[in-house]
Amino acid sequence: MPQAGKGPLDGIRIVEFAGIGPGPFCGMMLADHGAEVIRIDRASGSRGGSQPVTSADVLARGRKSIAIDLKSAQGVALARKIAASADGIIEGFRPGVMERLGLGPEELLADNPKLVYGRMTGWGQTGPYAPYAGHDINYIALAGALAHFGRAGGKPTPPINLVGDFGGGGMMLAFGMVSALLHVAKGGEGQVIDAAMTDGTAVLMSMLHGMKNMGVWSEDLGVNMLDTGAHFYDTYETADGKFVSIGSIEPQFYAELRARAGLAEDADFDAQHDRSQWGALKDKLTALFKTRTRAEWDALMEHSDVCYAPVLTMSEAAAHPHNQARQTFVEVGGHVQPAPAPRYSGSATATPQPAPMPGDQTDDILSALGIGADEIGTLRAAGTVA
């Protein structure tokens, strides 16, 4: 049974081949929830891409790191030995890279038939786009999501890289890893998980596909209830140049908004769902919200059923009383960052450890595999490990 303070994945070992973005996010999720995650870094100390190796890297927290030269036969053999001791591996290279290294599913599942082999890509392991480069903005564009983020009359606006890289990518892979690990725990065999950000993003759009199928969602940008088309589901600027959010969809919540905003007697607002009136009502709310500061609107709207919240920056969110009461953010290694989520009643997670530098635990990991100090010294002298 998992021990309190270690998380429900205590006892699970995951090997992560270092990368950037969604793969590390998956590794962070698994580590946050108790898995031992061993990150195989390049012996050169670089993970590639533009993301630096630093202990401030939130996505890399909670790991152990071993630095291996995967271009050497000794390094590949060592990586296979580590993977053979693991319950799962995660990698985010282009299709075919792991196979060319001699670390593909055929080799690693032969070494360890119970292994869960997680693969994170943008386009997937197959399909016409599979061999080519891309980024979140491209994946969510092809999946039919990006076209629906933005305001009427404007162009599609990417929601940073939250949808493809993290919601449809790393989080989806983490779910797949845990699902396949449960399959193994029930007596099944290991398998390969093909997690494509295009597929995952499409799944995130399921409700909207359903609404379109029912005829209640237009593919035109910014004209629907949830995409800033409606006056009662949008952000508004306040007198001090800050912003608040309103999501008063249900009639009782809309009535509360009207009451608190002084609009109960304004008959124009009776037409909540008359789309022909949304533009004019939005203009009224735009002018209204500019009459008070955000703090003044907080005092009027917070702790009610308006469905209201101030629009906070990352720094502001960490200081907000609600987030502080729930300890939504923690300090790790001197850096404020999100705490592990969700919460468990019987297998609570521990505060994560700071991200290691490449090779910080090389000796410890090799020793745990039964490799003696002399051999470790030989591997290091040869440049196989660092």
Side-chain angles (χ1 to χ4, degrees):
M1 292 292 291
Q3 299 179 28
K6 293 193 174 182
L9 297 181
D10 181 32
I12 297 293
R13 173 178 286 179
I14 303 294
V15 174
E16 172 190 355
F17 288 85
I20 58 174
F25 181 79
C26 174
M28 183 197 77
M29 289 296 296
L30 298 174
D32 278 358
H33 297 277
E36 176 192 22
V37 179
I38 297 173
R39 190 182 72 213
I40 296 181
D41 284 297
R42 296 179 184 178
S44 63
S46 169
R47 274 180 277 163
S50 59
Q51 182 172 321
V53 180
T54 166
S55 60
D57 182 359
V58 176
L59 292 185
R61 71 190 185 188
R63 315 291 211 279
K64 298 175 181 178
S65 170
I66 180 170
I68 302 177
D69 177 10
L70 294 179
K71 294 183 179 180
S72 71
Q74 277 187 311
V76 170
L78 191 56
R80 287 181 67 166
K81 187 169 186 176
I82 297 170
S85 73
D87 299 288
I89 73 112
I90 52 179
E91 62 92 2
F93 299 116
R94 288 200 205 189
V97 170
M98 289 291 279
E99 285 82 353
R100 289 192 292 275
L101 289 171
L103 295 168
E106 183 176 348
E107 291 85 2
L108 298 194
L109 283 165
D111 294 340
N112 179 2
K114 297 291 186 181
L115 186 71
V116 174
Y117 194 116
R119 315 196 79 167
M120 183 78 261
T121 59
W123 308 117
Q125 297 295 313
T126 60
Y129 280 35
Y132 302 108
H135 278 297
D136 176 288
I137 190 171
N138 312 121
Y139 309 138
I140 68 173
L142 197 73
L146 180 56
H148 303 285
F149 301 140
R151 294 184 177 276
K155 64 179 182 178
T157 303
I160 318 181
N161 63 329
L162 297 178
V163 174
D165 278 355
F166 301 122
M171 189 76 76
M172 204 67 70
L173 178 58
F175 177 77
M177 292 296 293
V178 173
S179 297
L181 288 166
L182 284 171
H183 175 72
V184 171
K186 292 168 63 177
E189 291 296 299
Q191 58 187 304
V192 177
I193 302 170
D194 176 2
M197 288 175 245
T198 47
D199 298 346
T201 298
V203 170
L204 294 180
M205 293 288 288
S206 294
M207 184 187 80
L208 301 183
H209 279 277
M211 294 175 72
K212 182 174 75 72
N213 294 343
M214 292 182 281
V216 295
W217 187 272
S218 169
E219 292 192 317
D220 294 335
L221 188 62
V223 300
N224 299 283
M225 181 174 67
L226 300 176
D227 65 356
T228 75
H231 61 288
F232 52 85
Y233 199 92
D234 205 348
T235 59
Y236 290 95
E237 187 176 1
T238 57
D240 52 351
K242 297 181 180 179
F243 293 86
V244 297
S245 67
I246 297 295
S248 311
I249 298 174
E250 293 80 2
Q252 67 272 29
F253 304 149
Y254 186 69
E256 182 82 359
L257 167 66
R258 293 180 67 181
R260 289 180 178 263
L263 300 170
E265 303 304 319
D266 188 334
D268 289 346
F269 283 88
D270 292 347
Q272 179 183 2
H273 293 290
D274 182 348
R275 294 184 180 224
S276 69
Q277 301 301 309
W278 281 0
L281 295 176
K282 185 171 290 194
D283 289 343
K284 281 194 169 188
L285 286 180
T286 297
L288 176 64
F289 277 105
K290 285 185 177 179
T291 63
R292 290 183 170 94
T293 65
R294 190 181 72 185
E296 289 171 332
W297 284 114
D298 286 351
L300 189 62
M301 298 284 192
E302 278 189 323
H303 311 300
S304 76
D305 280 345
V306 168
C307 300
Y308 165 94
V311 177
L312 304 179
T313 64
M314 288 184 283
S315 299
E316 290 175 322
H320 192 276
H322 179 81
N323 294 329
Q324 290 190 335
R326 285 189 56 79
Q327 297 181 308
T328 300
F329 297 90
V330 294
E331 186 172 301
V332 177
H335 301 282
V336 175
Q337 54 196 264
R343 315 288 176 83
Y344 303 96
S345 63
S347 51
T349 57
T351 299
Q353 293 298 306
M357 297 300 286
D360 271 358
Q361 289 81 32
T362 292
D363 288 12
D364 293 340
I365 293 167
L366 294 179
S367 295
L369 291 173
I371 298 174
D374 289 345
E375 188 176 352
I376 293 173
T378 299
L379 289 169
R380 181 169 277 109
T384 303
V385 300

